[in-house]
Amino acid sequence: MQIKETTNQGLKRAYQLTIKAGDIAAKIEAEIKKIAPQVRMPGFRPGKVPANLVKKMHGEQLHAQTVNDVIRESVDQLMKDKELRPAMQPRIELGTGYEEGKDAEIAVELEVLPTIEAPSTDGLKLEKLVVPVSDEAVDEALQGIAGQQKSYKDAPKTKKAAEGDQLIIDFVGRLGDEEFEGGKAEDAALVIGSGQFIPGFEEQLVGAKTGDKKTIKVTFPADYPAEHLAGQEADFDINVKQVKVEGETKVDEDFAKSLGLEGLDQLKGLIRGQLEQQTAGLTRTQMKRALLDQLAAGHDFEVPEGMVNAEFDQIWAQLQQEASREENPQEALKEIQNERDEYRSIAERRVRLGLLLSEIGQANGVEVTAQEMSMLIQQAAQQYRPEDRQRFVDYVRQEPMAAAQLRAPLYEDKVVDFLFDKADVTEREVTQEELEAAIEADETAEAKPAPKKKAAAKKAPAKKDAPKKEAAKEEKPAAKKAPAKKPAAKKAEAKPAAEKKPAAKKAPAKKAAAKK
């Protein structure tokens, strides 16, 4: 194989590979000898079919396969000989006009990863903002849980039903003089003002007392799921069996036991743990941003344009999706278009940080274990339909680039944790509001133009009508990766929302049609 370098500019490389026709022919002959013993042909004993007949039968297929194999082997040899580290999948083309018997000319274009000295992990200083969980916060969360566990008690018979009261009723619905399917229920619980029933139903029961019997008229909505009821006027005969008022839910041992726990102390402990977990996530976000800012400030090197383009495309696609959900999509799209250069700077920063973290991880022996990788694959497979999950698993295990994309976020987290352990960390207690304000301040700081020697990305302050810029808010260094081929497995189709049964309030179809 002959190698001719045609481009060497920055991180871009291009080569012309020439593979002699004789080398290709020799590989084809070797393959014919290999498969000849397995070829069966009438008039010949097994394994005795002449090589020229084998070539005549399978020559075209063998030639195509051999050329593909030669190209792959030649590109692999090129990478090894030139000690190239591709940033993404190389672009490979077989020269036009190639045919059997001619030399194969192969054009290879790629970008290489920059040479980066592993940054020193010494001297890192980080401030960890810690939010202690107060007893007051636990009590407040307890009251919130209690508020969701509403209970009702019987009201005096003279009590007139009002907003928020619960009524236990029997009812029968009629279209004209005929009862309709699903329009009848006994001991149905209705909370006035909850919107559980069709418009006009609950409102006409305001003022009702225990023992009252009344007939109300309602009109089913035009878009009611049951077509035979949509837009129809109906009469409902109502028997109010009991008016109930909301009772106070006591937060005590019995309340905790009603939730399946041993007692109040266990409930408080669980709540405290949940609150600590929530604030720990914010604390990690704040520390990670501070760490990445330090890394970005100390390193400025050229990054592969292809990787930046891929990262920017991901950011841009998410921004466009968010803009489409805004009240004024066109205005939102116009705004992000005006900030396009800033988002590209963010993409470049992410790629640079991703390469830095990768270099730090490799230099310090940070690894994702085979067991961790297996768990990642199995977790990712859950987003596919059950019948497609094994196909996805097989695909990831066969495609190194797809596996690298799946592995990247966990690897990045492990490197970040490694750096946290190496850093000189000081803790400071703050309120949750102060912690959130600190994170917001980091976002605002990103909006300022960065000095030339720094890689920090610019980001414009959010405007009132702008789409939420979640695509670029959270710092996610881009991993060394190439776009993965589309897996054979199809993504699981989104399950439709629970069907709106004519008779139901998110319940079996035999419930009352009066309910939404």
Side-chain angles (χ1 to χ4, degrees):
M1 177 181 68
Q2 296 177 355
I3 301 175
K4 179 183 179 182
E5 187 176 71
T6 56
T7 300
N8 188 335
Q9 297 177 349
L11 301 177
K12 293 183 178 181
R13 303 286 186 274
Y15 300 89
Q16 189 78 23
L17 310 182
T18 302
I19 303 167
K20 295 296 184 181
D23 293 338
I24 297 174
K27 287 182 177 291
I28 293 174
E29 293 299 326
E31 190 64 24
I32 289 173
K33 289 180 181 180
K34 182 179 176 181
I35 69 170
Q38 287 87 44
V39 175
R40 299 288 185 270
M41 184 179 291
F44 295 92
R45 286 181 298 166
K48 299 299 182 180
V49 180
N52 63 326
L53 288 181
V54 174
K55 186 173 183 179
K56 185 175 182 180
M57 291 172 60
H58 303 287
E60 187 175 343
Q61 180 182 350
L62 284 172
H63 176 256
Q65 182 60 48
T66 300
V67 170
N68 283 334
D69 291 344
V70 166
I71 290 174
R72 185 182 67 253
E73 293 167 3
S74 300
V75 173
D76 289 345
Q77 191 63 43
L78 168 69
M79 301 301 165
K80 183 178 178 180
D81 291 349
K82 298 295 183 180
E83 298 181 345
L84 301 174
R85 297 194 305 159
M88 299 183 73
Q89 197 73 21
R91 184 169 176 264
I92 303 168
E93 286 187 357
L94 179 62
T96 56
Y98 170 75
E99 58 185 37
E100 188 172 0
K102 290 186 177 181
D103 294 346
E105 300 287 342
I106 304 165
V108 181
E109 296 180 5
L110 71 154
E111 283 186 292
V112 296
L113 293 171
T115 301
I116 311 167
E117 290 186 13
S120 172
T121 58
D122 298 328
L124 287 173
K125 293 186 178 182
L126 297 171
E127 184 179 45
K128 184 178 182 179
L129 303 184
V130 180
V131 180
V133 177
S134 65
D135 292 340
E136 290 77 9
V138 173
D139 290 340
E140 184 179 344
L142 266 174
Q143 292 302 325
I145 294 174
Q148 295 170 3
Q149 305 292 321
K150 289 185 178 180
S151 62
Y152 294 89
K153 61 183 181 180
D154 291 350
K157 291 185 177 181
T158 55
K159 160 71 176 171
K160 293 183 177 181
E163 184 95 0
D165 291 343
Q166 185 188 66
L167 277 64
I168 306 301
I169 60 174
D170 295 342
F171 62 81
V172 177
R174 291 175 282 104
L175 293 177
D177 296 326
E178 297 291 329
E179 292 184 18
F180 56 86
E181 184 182 358
K184 185 176 183 179
E186 294 181 356
D187 295 326
L190 176 156
V191 177
I192 296 179
S194 65
Q196 295 170 290
F197 286 63
I198 59 177
F201 194 104
E202 296 171 17
E203 293 84 344
Q204 295 183 63
L205 294 177
V206 172
K209 300 189 298 294
T210 298
D212 283 358
K213 290 180 170 56
K214 61 188 304 182
T215 299
I216 64 174
K217 290 183 178 292
V218 295
T219 301
F220 282 93
D223 59 351
Y224 196 72
E227 294 182 4
H228 69 290
L229 297 177
Q232 296 290 321
E233 282 192 357
D235 294 325
F236 281 90
D237 295 328
I238 310 289
N239 176 20
V240 181
K241 301 176 79 170
Q242 183 64 56
V243 175
K244 293 175 173 281
V245 293
E246 187 176 342
E248 181 182 354
T249 302
K250 272 192 171 184
V251 180
D252 54 16
E253 294 292 331
D254 290 337
F255 174 71
K257 289 176 181 177
S258 73
L259 298 176
L261 303 175
E262 294 178 359
L264 190 57
D265 287 343
Q266 185 184 14
L267 176 57
K268 287 184 176 181
L270 289 173
I271 291 174
R272 186 179 295 275
Q274 289 177 348
L275 294 175
E276 288 173 346
Q277 190 173 16
Q278 291 170 8
T279 57
L282 291 174
T283 295
R284 179 180 172 83
T285 297
Q286 168 262 324
M287 282 185 66
K288 183 177 177 181
R289 284 186 175 165
L291 170 67
L292 297 178
D293 283 344
Q294 287 189 45
L295 291 176
H299 299 85
D300 183 20
F301 52 84
E302 186 180 5
V303 293
E305 185 179 1
M307 292 182 74
V308 175
N309 290 340
E311 187 68 24
F312 173 76
D313 288 344
Q314 289 185 13
I315 293 174
W316 197 248
Q318 188 170 343
L319 286 169
Q320 288 180 311
Q321 187 178 29
E322 290 170 354
S324 67
R325 295 194 293 264
E326 289 294 313
E327 186 175 344
N328 187 338
Q330 292 302 319
E331 185 63 30
L333 286 169
K334 182 179 179 182
E335 181 177 339
I336 64 171
Q337 187 65 47
N338 292 337
E339 299 170 348
R340 188 182 183 93
D341 290 344
E342 295 174 11
Y343 288 114
R344 186 167 182 84
S345 294
I346 290 173
E348 184 176 330
R349 169 185 163 98
R350 287 187 185 180
V351 171
R352 183 174 286 108
L353 286 169
L355 295 175
L356 275 171
L357 291 176
S358 177
E359 199 68 33
I360 293 170
Q362 291 178 39
N364 293 280
V366 178
E367 294 181 348
V368 173
T369 66
Q371 183 178 4
E372 289 171 332
M373 192 65 201
S374 180
M375 288 179 62
L376 281 176
I377 295 173
Q378 293 300 330
Q379 288 171 0
Q382 296 308 306
Q383 66 182 306
Y384 295 93
R385 296 177 301 186
E387 61 268 27
D388 288 332
R389 288 171 187 168
Q390 188 57 47
R391 293 169 63 193
F392 171 79
V393 171
D394 295 341
Y395 161 74
V396 173
R397 286 176 175 163
Q398 294 167 7
E399 291 288 339
M401 289 298 181
Q405 283 186 309
L406 198 58
R407 168 184 173 274
L410 176 59
Y411 184 77
E412 175 196 311
D413 280 341
K414 296 188 77 166
V415 176
V416 168
D417 287 336
F418 168 79
L419 292 173
F420 283 168
D421 290 340
K422 289 287 185 180
D424 179 10
V425 179
T426 57
E427 291 190 4
R428 178 162 64 94
E429 287 192 4
V430 295
T431 64
Q432 182 160 335
E433 291 73 19
E434 289 172 329
L435 176 57
E436 291 171 352
I439 294 173
E440 186 66 29
D442 288 341
E443 293 172 5
T444 304
E446 270 195 318
K448 298 177 182 178
K452 187 175 181 181
K453 289 294 179 183
K454 294 185 181 180
K458 297 191 294 180
K459 181 170 179 286
K463 299 179 183 178
K464 184 176 180 182
D465 296 325
K468 294 179 181 178
K469 301 179 178 63
E470 297 300 329
K473 265 187 183 177
E474 185 181 353
E475 192 66 76
K476 297 177 182 176
K480 174 188 172 185
K481 61 189 177 184
K485 297 176 185 175
K486 190 173 182 180
K490 293 182 181 178
K491 211 168 193 179
E493 295 178 5
K495 293 182 179 179
E499 294 180 7
K500 297 179 181 177
K501 312 279 186 185
K505 172 186 82 175
K506 299 179 183 176
K510 293 299 181 184
K511 293 257 179 159
K515 295 185 180 182
K516 284 186 180 177

